[in-house]
Amino acid sequence: RLIFGLTILVLTLNLGLGAWVYSATAVAVEKDSAYPNLELFSYVMEKVRKDYVDGTNLTYQDLVYGALKGMIGTLDPHSEFLDPEKYKELKSDTEGQFGGLGIVIQLRDGYVTVVAPIEDTPGFRAGILAGDRIIRIDGANAEKMSVEDAVKRLRGEPDTDVTLTMERPSSGEKKDYKLTRAVIKVSMVKDVNGKQEFPLGDSKIGYVRLTQFGERTSEELEAALKKIKARGMQALV
């Protein structure tokens, strides 16, 4: 009887312990399951749309994109969710080719300012100079516009028009330019003069500058090295 009773007790304790372990595991699995968490996400999204003060002005896409950006942003500093527009911009940068005017801009003293026009582009041919300020883009005031917003407005499909109002600080002159966008090809490898000629002086020291890394960088670098090696390069910067 004693052995029988101990056996029953051990089996009962084992059964209870197993049930507890199974229950704890099931709860943990449920917490890490996609469906309950997606249900919570959907509930919160609907709550925002219904009860937030400006919820009716938010689209489901706005909320989902915002959530995805937050989710990917928590992983590490190098991970980012790109919406279609940002992906298109990234693709243009890495390909080194896009529809635009061929002017490099940055923010100076609160103004969107031309750093330099790219040679043989619509902006260059129109006579736009480094230091010129963009006052308006297609009638929109650009004085408080971010560089990112200005770039979006300046770029576009080739053969489409854009009107710029420019100010030249040196003379105070303001002028309107109606420009037609073209395919702009950005050189990713340049020589000491900012071109792709790669001259070699008496010192026989070659100079190659990588302006950015993209799909054509390795191809352009190889072509540059072949050119200066053929001229008798003995050292390289």
Side-chain angles (χ1 to χ4, degrees), residues 3-187:
I3 294 173
F4 182 73
L6 287 173
T7 303
I8 294 296
L9 179 61
V10 170
L11 289 174
T12 302
L13 289 174
N14 186 53
L15 182 63
L17 181 62
W20 178 81
V21 171
Y22 174 79
S23 176
T25 303
V27 170
V29 170
E30 185 176 349
K31 283 184 178 179
D32 197 38
S33 176
Y35 294 107
N37 288 291
L38 285 174
E39 185 179 2
L40 173 63
F41 177 81
S42 299
Y43 172 77
V44 173
M45 185 166 58
E46 289 295 340
K47 193 77 173 171
V48 170
R49 287 268 295 179
K50 181 180 178 183
D51 297 336
Y52 179 60
V53 62
D54 290 325
T56 54
N57 296 326
L58 295 171
T59 65
Y60 285 112
Q61 187 181 78
D62 292 333
L63 295 173
V64 171
Y65 278 13
L68 290 172
K69 288 176 182 177
M71 177 177 67
I72 302 302
T74 60
L75 300 179
D76 57 65
H78 313 292
S79 299
E80 181 183 0
F81 171 76
L82 300 177
D83 58 38
E85 188 173 349
K86 288 217 168 200
Y87 174 71
K88 185 178 179 181
E89 291 176 13
L90 176 66
K91 192 176 179 184
S92 296
D93 290 338
T94 56
E95 289 178 347
Q97 182 172 304
F98 54 86
L101 303 176
I103 53 176
V104 181
I105 60 173
Q106 67 176 204
L107 204 61
R108 289 182 183 173
D109 301 323
Y111 292 92
V112 178
T113 306
V114 177
V115 176
I118 300 173
E119 192 173 347
D120 197 30
T121 62
F124 180 86
R125 289 191 291 268
I128 295 175
L129 302 177
D132 287 355
R133 294 172 175 174
I134 301 178
I135 306 300
R136 293 185 178 276
I137 303 175
D138 280 336
N141 191 346
E143 290 188 30
K144 294 185 178 180
M145 194 177 289
S146 67
V147 171
E148 184 180 61
D149 192 17
V151 168
K152 288 180 183 177
R153 293 171 182 267
L154 294 174
R155 289 186 181 182
E157 293 297 320
D159 298 323
T160 58
D161 294 333
V162 58
T163 300
L164 303 182
T165 301
M166 310 290 297
E167 180 183 22
R168 187 157 293 168
S170 58
S171 62
E173 179 189 4
K174 291 185 179 180
K175 185 178 179 180
D176 289 336
Y177 294 85
K178 186 176 181 180
L179 305 174
T180 301
R181 297 182 180 94
V183 176
I184 307 299
K185 294 183 179 180
V186 180
S187 300

Side-chain angles (χ1 to χ4, degrees), residues 212-226:
Q212 69 182 75
F213 290 98
E215 292 184 9
R216 300 199 328 268
T217 304
S218 61
E219 179 185 336
E220 291 187 10
L221 177 60
E222 185 177 3
L225 293 176
K226 283 182 178 178

